Amino acid sequence: MTIAPEAPAPAPAPAAPTFLELELTGRCQLTCSSHCYAEAGPTKGHGSMSGDDWLRVLDEAATLGVQTVQMIGGEPTMHPQFIELVDYALGRGLRVQVYSNLYRMSDRLWLLFSRPGVSLATSYYSDDPREHDAITGRRGSHARTRAAIVEALRRGIPLKVGIIHMRAEQRSEQARLELADLGVKWVRIDHVRAVGNGAAGSLPSTSALCGRCADGKAAILPDGTVTPCVLGRFLPAGSVKEQGLAAVFAGAAWGRVAASIPRQRHALSAGCTPDEDSCMPSPGKATMGCNPDLDGSDCSPAETPACEPAYD
């Protein structure tokens, strides 16, 4: 008698993430045509997710055990309910990191960012204002972002800065030294990822990712699509509008997406998850150890997380 071999057991679904990137909007004051993963800009919209949809996501995230949410975009502060969403997340016991270009700040935003449980992250491209402004497409953006960095440090707000190195002559190292002199303790340098504007017309590929997407982290795009991170936006795994977070993370599509991402050697050896201190560089020094956030939030545009340390 022939005994049929047992079918292999299906791989267990990845655990629900503890770090969630919320891409609130595609709108941004800047026009970073060379590297923006979201292809954001001044004419883009906020997507089909309503404010109530985002509030429901925050409720579900807290229930699932998410510890930190990153508000990102585009420029998240341009979302009409941004302050309400941060306040609600804090009320649900979530830590909040705001990934902002720091281009347009207000007293109300500074008060919000100074609250316990909130941290900031931003992008910086050069110590030369002309080079920085050429990359962002917005004259005066270097002066505004630099001034906001100084103010965040003065207020004692936890701050991370990511530098995206795009060309050989770019003053990335000089920018890192400038930030260190200003007192920024967490600075990372990364290369352009082939996603969004950085793809330069090529098809997106998992080879552009860090190898840790969907591992303790996920992203929700402005239309409610769930992806393994904001850079892995071409890997949809479901929709919070149609299914809800718990159903997405328990579903077969999420498991397939997670399994499709090649685990790169550096990512496996780093051993870091969004809240681990091992992702943190030494004060005043850049690190290349824990991608994709070398984005933010965390994978670049300049530091979007996948391996995102959280701040208490």
Side-chain angles (χ1 to χ4, degrees), residues 52-67:
D52 286 343
D53 288 333
W54 285 118
L55 292 173
R56 188 183 70 253
V57 163
L58 292 171
D59 281 332
E60 293 176 343
T63 300
L64 283 173
V66 171
Q67 298 171 13

Side-chain angles (χ1 to χ4, degrees), residues 23-282:
E23 190 175 307
L24 300 181
T25 180
R27 190 167 298 173
C28 183
Q29 306 97 326
L30 311 182
T31 56
C32 301
S33 59
S34 299
H35 70 280
C36 180
Y37 65 91
E39 301 176 272
T43 63
K44 297 298 177 70
H46 302 306
S48 59
M49 287 282 285
S50 68
D52 286 343
D53 288 333
W54 285 118
L55 292 173
R56 188 183 70 253
V57 163
L58 292 171
D59 281 332
E60 293 176 343
T63 300
L64 283 173
V66 171
Q67 298 171 13
T68 304
V69 292
Q70 183 189 59
M71 308 287 190
I72 193 168
E75 170 52 37
T77 62
M78 297 187 76
H79 190 280
Q81 291 176 261
F82 169 74
I83 291 177
E84 177 188 356
L85 293 174
V86 174
D87 184 69
Y88 192 81
L90 293 173
R92 288 306 313 262
L94 297 165
R95 291 177 294 192
V96 178
Q97 184 185 77
V98 179
Y99 201 106
S100 170
N101 57 36
L102 301 182
Y103 179 77
R104 190 179 298 278
M105 304 297 287
S106 66
D107 290 342
R108 192 178 181 193
L109 286 177
W110 282 124
L111 288 174
L112 180 70
F113 298 156
S114 299
R115 291 181 60 180
V118 179
S119 64
L120 281 175
T122 193
S123 302
Y124 201 70
Y125 303 102
S126 176
D127 68 326
D128 181 345
R130 292 171 298 179
E131 182 176 46
H132 180 104
D133 292 358
I135 290 171
T136 66
R138 175 69 70 170
R139 186 175 180 181
S141 61
H142 177 272
R144 285 175 176 246
T145 298
R146 189 183 188 279
I149 288 172
V150 171
E151 180 64 12
L153 294 171
R154 186 188 73 80
R155 291 173 178 263
I157 299 170
L159 173 69
K160 296 182 64 179
V161 181
I163 300 168
I164 294 300
H165 188 74
M166 288 171 257
R167 47 183 181 249
E169 68 276 13
Q170 184 178 337
R171 293 176 61 84
S172 302
E173 177 60 17
Q174 291 88 342
R176 183 189 71 79
L177 292 172
E178 179 189 27
L179 291 166
D181 286 343
L182 289 175
V184 181
K185 295 182 179 180
W186 296 283
V187 183
R188 292 186 182 181
I189 301 175
D190 193 21
H191 61 276
V192 178
R193 303 281 174 171
V195 177
N197 289 340
S202 63
L203 292 175
S205 168
T206 55
S207 63
L209 304 178
C210 77
R212 295 305 298 266
C213 297
D215 188 359
K217 68 197 69 68
I220 302 174
L221 305 187
D223 64 355
T225 299
V226 180
T227 69
C229 71
V230 289
L231 289 188
R233 60 202 308 108
F234 54 92
L235 298 170
S239 170
V240 293
K241 296 181 74 172
E242 299 172 4
Q243 304 163 266
L245 270 185
V248 170
F249 294 137
W254 178 250
R256 286 195 299 270
V257 164
S260 73
I261 299 169
R263 300 311 190 191
Q264 299 178 17
R265 180 178 300 176
H266 69 78
L268 292 173
S269 62
C272 53
T273 58
D275 298 315
E276 284 187 345
D277 292 337
S278 60
C279 297
M280 302 282 277
S282 300

